Amino acid sequence: MTQDFRTLIGGLVVDRSDRVGFTFDGRLLSGYRGDTLASALLANGVHTVGRSLKYRRPRGIFSAGGEEPNALVTVGKGKHRVPNLKATEVALVEGLVASSQRGWPSARRDLGAVTSLLGPLLPSGFYYKTFMRPQQSWPMIEPVLRRAAASGRVPPEPDPARYDRGHLHCDVLVVGAGPAGLAAAVAAAATGERVVVAEADPHVGGCLLDRPVTIDGQPASEWVDAAAGVLADNQAATVLTSTTVFGCYGRERFGAVQHLADGRGDQRYWQIHAGRVVLATGAIERPLLFANNDRPGVMLASAVERYIHRFGVIPGSRAIIITNNDSAYSAAAAIRGAGAEVRAVIDTRLSSDCGDLQPDIVGVESVSVSGRSRVSGVTVVTSVGLQEITGDLVCVSGGWTPTVHLHSALGAPTLYDPDWGAFVPASRTDVPMSAGACGGIGSLAGAIQSGARAGDPDTVPGNVVIDGDFGGVTPGPTRIVPRRGHAFVDLATDVDVHGVEVAVSEGYSGPQHVKRYTTMGMGPDQGKTANINGAALTADLAGSSLSDVGTTTHRPPFVPVALGALAGRESGTRIAPVRRTPMDEWHAASGAVFMPSGLWRRPKYFRSNGEDAVTAATAEARRVRTGVGIADVSTLGKIELRGAGVGELLDFVYTNRFSNLKPGRVRYGLMLRDDGYVMDDGTTSRLSDAHWLLTTTTANAEPVLQHLEYCHQVLRPELDVAMSSVTDQWAVAAVAGPDAREVVGAFFDGDLDVGPNALPFMAVEVLELGGVPVRVARVSFSGELGYEMGVPADHGLAMWERLLDAGAAWGIGPYGLEGMDYLRIEKGHLVVGMDIDGRVSPYDLGLGGLCSSQKDFVGRRSLAMPVFSDPDRPQLAGFVAEGSEMITAGAQLIERAFDGTAQESLGRITSVANSPTLERPIALGLVVGGSERIGERLHAASPVTGQQVAVEVVSPHFYDPAGERQRS
């Protein structure tokens, strides 16, 4: 197809000597190197690129940037297929294959358009009122709705694109390389600061590439080239194009994604660490609200200018301008300069003064677009009558919205500015500094001056003379009462004026509520062209003002970010080393099914005890309860401490006292964070007067060591303590069960008395066996008679095999993490990350008795706060299912069976198991009232799975609550 809508000359960013072939919806088309998919489609006269979400109305290209609400396409084929890309952001490359996402058999002829006839049955919020009952219908209805949404299909094959990650450190980060951003970067670089400039477009210059203005007598394009040259020659300046800063995380760290110009979809995720930031993100043009303002051929006026000046594309030959501000008059000049006709300039204001350009119609009462698959004209009603104007392009401008997303995400305040009809930064001088349009400055000269001041706050920029800038961003009326038909507020989600009216009439008077009720601003463009109009309309309907109701909250990411970009190359087999215990090869040869645990891989269960996890783990747990089992616990964190001050340091980091622990004994301890919440638990053995061994949970080995080092070096530096992690240096096996004493006795063959008097519960013995040091601790995590035996890692496998040989007569066998979980839940033992999840205090867990009142410890002052003694805090309890149905981990505890009506959550389930001993589902959890609720009937309802189980509240110690078996 010939490029009928390409201008004869022009196009700053395209190379007319390099023709590029591509296909769209199976049609072979062509464009030029430098085109976007959107500009190439418009050049070829392709106007309908998809269908709307709800009504399946034909939709065309609306904008020229990341604010595009309509033109979502799928690019590539097979495993290279990427859905939900904006055609305005897809760089044209040779052989590119693209397709529309909504419309069957095609976007131009969509049989699904019949759903538009059902419009009256699909008002705002209809999804909240339908498909709710019966609940059993939802699994059948959901797939139908998902197919109807047609939001693109992700290929099942692994993504072949390459994703990289990098870090950049700078003194000044400038976000945006328009006039304000370039001025800021040049000014900052001149001071010798390290500068990083991030620009979302492939080219720097911003709006200066879209309008033929002069700056101090110099064409804007030359001014841009000069500024870019200064930055290129400065070794301390880095300019990243095709790079969008999508989020800020604190005032010094920013996330950005760079799209690499390779045609393969490769991306690079940058973490930018900046001393300060200058925001020069510009402003986004808003549409106007009138009937059928969504037809293909209705475009933002600034987008039309961009297509003309940057790409040499004129989207129509007979244009109609509809505006409420002065900025759109430059679009009229650009259209005429491109050789097309401007049929009329319609201004919603009663008058305007833009020099030689004057409006043809003012004081509009209503506007309606005619045409279906493409604009054919507009019908205008004014006080003097009705007028029909033919045309194939409607350029709209409803004012401008400063792009304050990053400003707001940084926690900086905004205020309503009537000159913009939108919100602007409350201050442009505080951190972050906002310059240019995003800082509320409407003139080009002011933008350049503000950028220079933001780049170097000590500078006093000189006057800037601009010729050709229309300026004037103050908007007139935005809403033009439609004669008939839809007037869309949000094109991406098919929210029209009537939909907002319905929401407000049903009591939703704030933008946040209207957003969720109507889905306004929830599309892939996140309401960039819709939110201000929607908030203003909401305020008007509610009898308030936009300054009072505000807008929705800006949260990162600013644009959609591929998960692959965040992950980098961390796909498939991880590059991070797999940590294996000394007994790992034995486990693998014995049929272990492994799972990650912290940084380690550990046996979840052994297939020799059953093919599935539940069967095998049940058998393994029963062996421990009735005979003897052996588990590899080498992964537990192990920290050795030496010195005269160890006891005093442990007193400080643990809630209970350790300084009075005698050599040869073991004590359980609880470690808190500064805020009073439980950080970790474990046992500490005193091997000799000045030698201690502290154990931690597997996942917390490193954080606990860091905490200990901080407490010693910063808070208690006077103490004589040396510490070192020895987790990798020692292999440890746990032997548990009624026959454990016989097995351990046989292991030592008389070299150690392991009887209850010689080695009682919570005692430790250190000896040598065949020249190898052995540590034996009488501890138990299973609730049975248990021993933990440790040897240097090189001898771990030999110890393991000798224990198996010694226990053969008693039927010893290994057990994995799943069986260990069953055992510890039956006993009421807790696990960090599940029961101890960073939100519980010692009092919540019934461990307040471990909090000494005779000494200081980390977190003690926080525990004195009233919140920790609140009787409504959930406390630890046990739960037994009334039937055989498993309880769901994470389920919420409620008083009665969930019937769709709201109920207050009384707590949550933290750990679940199908108890081998009780032969029924049990769980640990936290519930308001704790032990006072024992005997009550509650329901554990999962909001994720929809499952709910009736449970009885019981003691968290299901098995041997007095602890007689482990002390035997």
Side-chain angles (χ1 to χ4, degrees):
M1 180 180 287
T2 59
Q3 300 180 46
D4 294 335
F5 289 85
R6 188 76 70 171
T7 58
L8 295 178
I9 59 174
L12 288 174
V13 303
V14 296
D15 182 357
R16 291 178 181 255
S17 66
D18 190 355
R19 188 178 288 269
V20 175
F22 69 102
T23 62
F24 180 74
D25 281 348
R27 302 165 64 192
L28 181 61
L29 307 171
S30 67
Y32 294 130
R33 184 75 58 186
D35 266 323
T36 63
L37 175 60
S39 66
L41 289 172
L42 290 171
N44 285 274
V46 177
H47 299 282
T48 300
V49 294
R51 293 280 170 161
S52 69
L53 176 68
K54 190 162 66 172
Y55 301 120
R56 306 303 281 259
R57 292 163 64 98
R59 290 286 170 82
I61 295 165
F62 184 71
S63 74
E67 67 273 18
E68 175 60 40
N70 289 338
L72 292 181
V73 297
T74 295
V75 174
K77 55 184 178 179
K79 65 181 181 180
H80 296 276
R81 186 175 71 247
V82 181
N84 298 321
L85 297 180
K86 295 169 184 166
T88 52
E89 296 182 318
V90 176
L92 194 67
V93 295
E94 181 64 42
L96 182 141
V97 176
S99 60
S100 54
Q101 295 186 166
R102 295 194 189 104
W104 186 86
S106 69
R108 289 186 296 171
R109 298 179 178 84
D110 178 26
L111 296 181
V114 297
T115 59
S116 63
L117 301 176
L118 303 177
L121 301 178
L122 305 174
S124 292
F126 79 95
Y127 26 79
Y128 294 117
K129 304 171 185 176
T130 56
F131 314 133
M132 303 299 291
R133 293 183 181 84
Q135 290 185 346
Q136 294 80 359
S137 66
W138 180 244
M140 296 180 289
I141 294 170
E142 182 183 21
V144 176
L145 293 179
R146 289 190 178 277
R147 283 195 296 271
S151 297
R153 295 173 54 206
V154 177
E157 300 88 357
D159 186 354
R162 182 169 177 167
Y163 299 99
D164 284 329
R165 301 171 71 179
H167 290 260
L168 286 173
H169 297 261
C170 61
D171 299 307
V172 183
L173 168 63
V174 180
V175 184
L182 287 176
V186 169
T191 67
E193 292 184 299
R194 294 174 300 167
V195 178
V196 170
V197 182
E199 169 56 50
D201 285 341
H203 311 278
V204 301
C207 67
L208 297 179
L209 303 181
D210 304 333
R211 293 183 178 179
V213 300
T214 62
I215 304 173
D216 292 334
Q218 183 182 24
S221 59
E222 294 182 10
W223 186 91
V224 170
D225 291 341
V230 170
L231 296 174
D233 294 338
N234 192 317
Q235 294 183 349
T238 301
V239 178
L240 302 175
T241 55
S242 300
T243 303
T244 302
V245 177
F246 62 80
C248 42
Y249 306 92
R251 290 188 177 270
E252 298 179 348
R253 188 160 63 93
F254 299 81
V257 168
Q258 182 178 28
H259 293 264
L260 305 180
D262 50 25
R264 300 181 307 181
D266 295 355
Q267 300 177 31
R268 181 176 291 119
Y269 167 46
W270 291 106
Q271 288 192 37
I272 304 175
H273 307 261
R276 62 187 179 95
V277 61
V278 175
L279 301 178
T281 49
I284 297 171
E285 193 168 25
R286 300 191 295 270
L288 290 164
L289 308 183
F290 53 83
N292 299 323
N293 61 344
D294 66 323
R295 293 306 190 195
V298 177
M299 300 179 64
L300 293 174
S302 60
V304 173
E305 282 189 89
R306 177 170 295 188
Y307 287 119
I308 292 172
H309 291 298
R310 291 198 188 189
F311 304 103
V313 172
I314 176 67
S317 58
R318 295 167 298 143
I320 302 166
I321 312 290
I322 309 177
T323 183
N324 68 355
N325 66 93
D326 294 346
S327 68
Y329 284 82
S330 64
I335 292 168
R336 286 175 178 145
E341 179 186 4
V342 177
R343 300 301 307 277
V345 176
I346 303 170
D347 202 314
T348 66
R349 298 171 295 182
L350 295 178
S351 64
S352 64
D353 183 10
C354 291
D356 296 336
L357 292 175
Q358 293 296 320
D360 299 292
I361 302 174
V362 296
V364 177
E365 293 181 359
S366 74
V367 172
S368 178
V369 171
S370 55
R372 182 165 178 80
S373 60
R374 187 181 178 187
V375 166
S376 62
V378 299
T379 300
V380 184
V381 177
T382 65
S383 59
V384 297
L386 180 148
Q387 187 174 353
E388 294 185 351
I389 306 168
T390 61
D392 57 3
L393 174 64
V394 175
C395 307
V396 298
S397 178
W400 294 80
T401 302
T403 311
V404 296
H405 297 67
L406 290 176
H407 176 93
S408 297
L410 278 165
T414 61
L415 55 81
Y416 178 74
D417 186 339
D419 289 339
W420 286 83
F423 290 83
V424 302
S427 172
R428 293 186 290 271
T429 58
D430 295 339
V431 176
M433 292 185 177
S434 296
C438 82
I441 297 175
S443 69
L444 181 53
I448 294 173
Q449 291 174 320
S450 70
R453 282 193 297 269
D456 179 7
D458 296 327
T459 190
V460 179
N463 291 330
V464 179
V465 179
I466 304 295
D467 183 36
D469 180 28
F470 283 85
V473 297
T474 303
T478 297
R479 181 186 178 195
I480 308 172
V481 180
R483 294 177 63 237
R484 59 182 180 274
H486 294 279
F488 285 95
V489 182
D490 190 339
L491 297 172
T493 56
D494 264 7
V495 178
D496 59 8
V497 170
H498 177 66
V500 178
E501 291 173 342
V502 169
V504 174
S505 70
E506 296 194 12
Y508 298 94
S509 57
Q512 295 281 16
H513 294 148
V514 171
K515 170 183 177 178
R516 282 153 182 80
Y517 193 66
T518 64
T519 71
M520 180 176 65
M522 296 173 67
D525 66 330
Q526 290 293 286
K528 290 181 174 62
T529 60
N531 283 348
I532 288 294
N533 282 346
L537 177 61
T538 300
D540 182 46
L541 294 170
S544 184
S545 65
L546 180 55
S547 60
D548 291 332
V549 302
T551 64
T552 54
T553 303
H554 298 298
R555 300 183 180 92
F558 175 65
V559 296
V561 178
L563 294 178
L566 299 178
R569 301 191 195 184
E570 297 178 11
S571 59
T573 302
R574 294 178 63 88
I575 298 176
V578 177
R579 300 183 70 179
R580 295 177 169 87
T581 72
M583 291 80 95
D584 183 85
E585 288 187 8
W586 187 95
H587 300 324
S590 301
V593 175
F594 292 97
M595 65 175 289
S597 178
L599 299 176
W600 299 82
R601 80 166 191 169
R602 298 180 68 181
K604 181 178 183 180
Y605 65 94
F606 291 84
R607 280 210 173 93
S608 57
N609 298 315
E611 286 301 314
D612 65 275
V614 174
T615 302
T618 300
E620 292 165 10
R622 282 177 176 157
R623 179 188 290 124
V624 173
R625 289 282 184 244
T626 59
V628 63
I630 182 172
D632 183 355
V633 294
S634 305
T635 63
L636 293 177
K638 296 176 280 292
I639 302 170
E640 289 198 16
L641 303 97
R642 294 178 184 267
V646 173
E648 190 174 345
L649 177 64
L650 295 181
D651 281 349
F652 181 64
V653 297
Y654 280 115
T655 61
N656 47 328
R657 189 177 297 279
F658 275 83
S659 55
N660 60 359
L661 184 66
K662 296 179 180 179
R665 303 296 295 182
V666 183
R667 183 168 292 168
Y668 173 81
L670 205 61
M671 189 178 296
L672 306 185
R673 303 186 315 221
D674 289 339
D675 58 8
Y677 290 99
V678 179
M679 175 184 178
D680 198 69
D681 68 341
T683 59
T684 295
S685 306
R686 191 169 189 176
L687 305 180
S688 66
D689 284 341
H691 187 191
W692 305 66
L693 175 65
L694 182 152
T695 65
T696 76
T697 55
T698 297
N700 264 358
E702 184 177 351
V704 168
L705 178 62
Q706 293 173 347
H707 181 63
L708 285 170
E709 289 176 335
Y710 173 81
C711 290
H712 176 220
Q713 297 175 21
V714 178
L715 304 179
R716 292 291 187 273
E718 73 281 0
L719 297 179
D720 174 22
V721 177
M723 66 185 74
S724 177
S725 171
V726 294
T727 302
D728 293 333
Q729 281 68 43
W730 287 82
V732 182
V735 182
D739 298 329
R741 180 172 289 121
E742 284 73 13
V743 173
V744 175
F747 174 90
F748 285 105
D749 195 21
D751 291 328
L752 176 67
D753 184 356
V754 295
N757 296 323
L759 191 63
F761 183 59
M762 300 300 278
V764 62
E765 186 76 34
V766 180
L767 71 159
E768 284 193 0
L769 185 64
V772 177
V774 183
R775 296 170 179 170
V776 185
R778 177 80 189 281
V779 295
S780 174
F781 191 57
S782 63
E784 297 292 342
L785 171 65
Y787 299 82
E788 287 186 4
M789 301 176 56
V791 296
D794 289 345
H795 301 278
L797 180 58
M799 174 191 68
W800 181 267
E801 292 178 335
R802 178 164 173 163
L803 281 169
L804 289 169
D805 290 341
W810 290 274
I812 195 171
Y815 62 99
L817 286 176
E818 188 77 7
M820 189 183 298
D821 219 30
Y822 295 174
L823 295 168
R824 67 97 184 168
I825 292 173
E826 288 182 340
K827 184 58 182 171
H829 287 161
L830 310 175
V831 165
V832 171
M834 298 176 71
D835 314 289
I836 302 174
D837 60 0
R839 296 178 289 173
V840 294
S841 74
Y843 305 137
D844 300 336
L845 303 176
L847 299 176
L850 288 178
C851 299
S852 174
S853 61
Q854 306 300 316
K855 69 178 184 68
D856 191 19
F857 56 84
V858 175
R860 180 182 179 185
R861 290 166 183 80
S862 296
L863 284 181
M865 294 190 299
V867 65
F868 288 109
S869 57
D870 186 345
D872 290 333
R873 285 186 64 88
Q875 297 174 341
L876 183 69
F879 303 89
V880 177
E882 289 189 354
S884 60
E885 187 176 2
M886 278 295 295
I887 306 168
T888 304
Q892 297 297 301
L893 293 163
I894 52 181
E895 286 191 345
R896 61 184 187 277
F898 182 69
D899 57 2
T901 59
Q903 288 189 59
E904 182 179 357
S905 173
L906 300 175
R908 61 190 182 275
I909 297 294
T910 57
S911 295
V912 298
N914 195 353
S915 170
T917 306
L918 278 64
E919 296 185 343
R920 58 193 306 187
I922 62 172
L924 295 174
L926 295 126
V927 64
V928 174
S931 59
E932 295 179 1
R933 287 185 177 269
I934 288 179
E936 289 189 18
R937 185 177 188 264
L938 299 176
H939 288 80
S942 171
V944 177
T945 65
Q947 179 193 34
Q948 55 180 320
V949 178
V951 296
E952 180 187 355
V953 184
V954 298
S955 165
H957 308 292
F958 302 91
Y959 179 79
D960 188 26
E964 297 174 354
R965 296 176 70 89
Q966 63 187 15
R967 289 183 172 84
S968 61

